[in-house]
Amino acid sequence: MYQGKHVLVIVSGGIAAYKIPQFIRDLIKQGAEVQVIMTQAASAFVTAQTLAVVSRHPVYDEHYLHTNTTAISHLDLTIWADLVVVAPATANILAKMAAGIADDLATTALLATNKPIFVFPAMNDQMYAAAATQRNLAQLRADQVTVFEPENGFLAEGYAAKGRMPEPTTMVSLIMNAWQRQQTAAILAGKHVLVTAGGTREAIDPVRYIGNHSSGKMGWALAQAAYWAGATVTVISSVAGPQTFPAETVKVTSTADLQAAVDRLFSKTDLLLMAAAPADFRMSTPAANKIKKQADQAQLQLTLVKNPDILASLKPLRKKQVVVGFAAETQRLLANATTKLQQKQLDLIVANPVGRTDSGFDVDQNQGTLLFADGSQQVLPLMSKIAMAQTIITAITAKKLL
Ligand code: CTP
């Protein structure tokens, strides 16, 4: 998502500046190009040379300004940037930003830019809680600056409190989520999207279960894409997802749990994306205690009973909801998916080849074909699950299903 994007990182003088070289590396790993401005105070915590080496660009600090002011100015950098990140953002730089003070290269660039700005306040907990800091943060939010809350954790002062800058990989995702949502939030604004993710487990006994290979990655990618598109998102999942975007989550284990959660939430849903892989059968009676093997035993027979088909059971409850299913198939992909589309009365089914190594279960890539109720089809080549999720959301909105 950062591919080819220009990120201007402004480093101010807090101890968390020691994390910035790693943050820059993580951004570059994601395909971004990074340039850095650092304040005088920042040079006490991280060197310009380190930042120059990891960013592969000269670093713009006071020294650079005084020795070479014609090659590039604060304006060139802000024109070059697609987005500006202030990290760590001290109480001091936040105060200057809120007041529009421009007394060094960093604050001048911040005042001059019309690009989206993301700030990571990181400071002593008392300084963060101070009325002046909170007033400045409120002003920055009102000025459309994205302010990320510091984390609770171990501070440099030697105790745990709110004030820590998040870890670099978290920062990279937080910025991407906020930025994506800013750009595309109109698509599903005001809509409630319910996503189901992961395979369900049916207890055999207290220590064993019947399950499947679904990792929940496609469902969580859909939840993320729905959030980016501006929706309020609820995820019913058997597996934890990335905690990088706000979503109400409901943890489930069995198909019965999943059905109960879907039934409860369906009436306030505009779009249901049913990416979960519910187990189709459960034990007729799960054993109360661990099943022990006998010395002369060659076989074990389990009696299974059918679980309800959740999508099919929603048919009488449907009002305005758009319902999307997934068909995981190892053979006769389109024929089987078309039957499911019709039998479950779906608006769209994503026909998904599984049982291969490059796409499908538990990998980061996927491919498939979208089959719409109106008979139209769209082939999705091999792509990341997140790109596929975005393509599915775009396809649904392009069809004006919602
Ligand atoms: N599904 C459901 N309830 C079930 C099983 C599946 O709602 N008990 C949903 C899945 O979440 C998916 C779609 O139905 O969106 C198709 O699931 P899939 O496992 O591919 O198909 P099944 O209907 O279970 O049929 P089969 O296992 O015979 O292929």
Side-chain angles (χ1 to χ4, degrees):
M1 233 51 79
Y2 281 98
Q3 201 59 47
K5 294 290 184 283
H6 292 173
V7 184
L8 175 59
V9 177
I10 297 184
V11 187
S12 68
I15 177 64
Y18 81 88
K19 293 182 183 172
I20 296 303
Q22 186 61 48
F23 170 59
I24 292 170
R25 285 181 68 103
D26 290 345
L27 284 170
I28 291 173
K29 244 190 265 169
Q30 301 274 328
E33 198 176 330
V34 180
Q35 298 215 61
V36 181
I37 297 178
M38 67 194 294
T39 65
Q40 180 99 50
S43 59
F45 300 99
V46 61
T47 71
Q49 186 160 12
T50 306
L51 296 171
V53 171
V54 293
S55 70
R56 303 177 199 144
H57 284 287
V59 166
Y60 301 97
D61 60 359
E62 295 307 305
H63 170 74
Y64 187 93
L65 202 59
H66 292 132
T67 54
N68 180 1
T69 50
T70 54
I72 194 155
S73 73
H74 55 283
L75 286 180
D76 294 320
L77 280 175
T78 59
I79 292 165
W80 170 87
D82 293 305
L83 67 157
V84 180
V85 180
V86 187
T90 59
N92 191 49
I93 201 165
L94 292 169
K96 286 186 187 177
M97 287 171 73
I101 294 171
D103 63 354
D104 62 5
L105 186 56
T107 48
T108 309
L110 283 163
L111 192 61
T113 192
N114 60 358
K115 304 293 171 55
I117 303 176
F118 302 87
V119 302
F120 286 92
M123 64 197 73
N124 167 269
D125 56 321
Q126 302 291 339
M127 288 173 84
Y128 181 71
T133 304
Q134 290 303 316
R135 194 167 59 238
N136 291 331
L137 290 174
Q139 182 60 55
L140 289 172
R141 288 193 175 101
D143 295 343
Q144 308 304 321
V145 171
T146 304
V147 178
F148 296 106
E149 296 267 305
E151 289 182 348
N152 273 306
F154 193 72
L155 302 182
E157 288 81 349
Y159 57 87
K162 186 169 185 170
R164 264 177 106 239
M165 194 170 76
E167 290 309 311
T169 48
T170 310
M171 293 167 69
V172 170
S173 332
L174 286 170
I175 296 165
M176 184 43 71
N177 277 319
W179 195 37
Q180 279 278 348
R181 182 143 162 133
Q182 280 169 21
Q183 292 173 66
T184 53
I187 299 175
L188 291 178
K191 303 288 183 202
H192 281 85
V193 175
L194 179 60
V195 184
T196 67
T200 62
R201 293 178 175 188
E202 303 296 341
I204 296 172
D205 67 14
V207 296
R208 305 182 180 94
Y209 60 84
I210 297 167
N212 59 63
H213 290 299
S214 172
S215 61
K217 284 182 178 174
M218 192 64 227
W220 280 100
L222 286 160
Q224 171 122 54
Y227 172 75
W228 286 344
T232 304
V233 181
T234 303
V235 187
I236 306 173
S237 181
S238 55
V239 287
Q243 301 295 303
T244 48
F245 61 96
E248 184 197 346
T249 53
V250 181
K251 174 94 173 70
V252 291
T253 305
S254 65
T255 296
D257 297 343
L258 179 61
Q259 177 159 41
V262 172
D263 285 352
R264 183 165 59 80
L265 295 162
F266 189 63
S267 64
K268 65 163 195 176
T269 297
D270 297 296
L271 168 63
L272 170 63
L273 299 166
M274 190 79 184
D280 286 325
F281 292 89
R282 66 178 185 279
M283 286 282 282
S284 61
T285 317
N289 291 306
K290 187 181 173 199
I291 300 172
K292 306 294 287 179
K293 63 177 178 301
Q294 308 305 324
D296 57 350
Q297 185 181 13
Q299 283 189 347
L300 172 68
Q301 288 194 348
L302 302 177
T303 305
L304 305 180
V305 292
K306 205 169 182 187
N307 273 326
D309 185 316
I310 301 170
L311 280 178
S313 71
L314 291 173
K315 282 190 241 170
L317 304 177
R318 282 179 67 172
K319 293 196 175 76
K320 58 185 169 56
Q321 292 91 345
V322 174
V323 178
V324 178
F326 283 73
E329 305 291 346
T330 55
Q331 54 186 349
R332 300 186 64 241
L333 177 67
L334 295 187
N336 286 342
T338 305
T339 307
K340 288 177 188 174
L341 174 75
Q342 289 160 355
Q343 280 176 353
K344 298 175 197 245
Q345 280 178 22
L346 306 175
D347 296 291
L348 164 65
I349 195 153
V350 183
N352 201 199
V354 290
R356 344 169 20 132
T357 51
D358 61 346
S359 67
F361 286 141
D362 203 21
V363 291
D364 292 325
Q365 292 195 307
N366 212 351
Q367 60 185 309
T369 304
L370 305 186
L371 305 177
F372 288 93
D374 66 6
S376 61
Q377 297 189 2
Q378 184 178 338
V379 176
L380 308 178
L382 190 64
M383 60 177 99
S384 71
K385 285 188 172 169
I386 193 69
M388 183 149 162
Q390 287 182 295
T391 310
I392 291 168
I393 302 268
T394 308
I396 293 166
T397 48
K399 281 264 177 204
K400 303 213 181 317
L401 294 179
L402 279 160

